[in-house]
Amino acid sequence: MANELRYGDRLHLQNLYQGDGGYLDTNGTSSAPGAKLAVSTAPTATRPPRPAGTSLRAGAP
């Protein structure tokens, strides 16, 4: 089925705050204790020089 999410699919998470809050993106490692990555929103789903997006994964952490 074309509308199903499957393991390994790449998806773009859009923030709909005030209608268009951008797309979830990572911007390096975080300096916050216990955190791995710093996140922000970008104006487009793909931000050069690399494609943005989150891969759908399942399993034990």
Side-chain angles (χ1 to χ4, degrees), residues 1-60:
M1 194 171 233
N3 294 327
E4 288 183 13
L5 289 177
R6 296 182 184 264
Y7 180 85
D9 282 354
R10 183 164 290 244
L11 56 114
H12 301 285
L13 300 177
Q14 186 175 17
N15 178 355
L16 296 177
Y17 178 73
Q18 294 184 347
D20 183 13
Y23 293 85
L24 186 66
D25 196 7
T26 59
N27 53 17
T29 56
S30 175
S31 60
K36 292 186 176 187
L37 297 172
V39 296
S40 62
T41 55
T44 61
T46 55
R47 181 174 57 90
R50 59 179 170 63
T54 301
S55 293
L56 184 62
R57 301 280 190 230

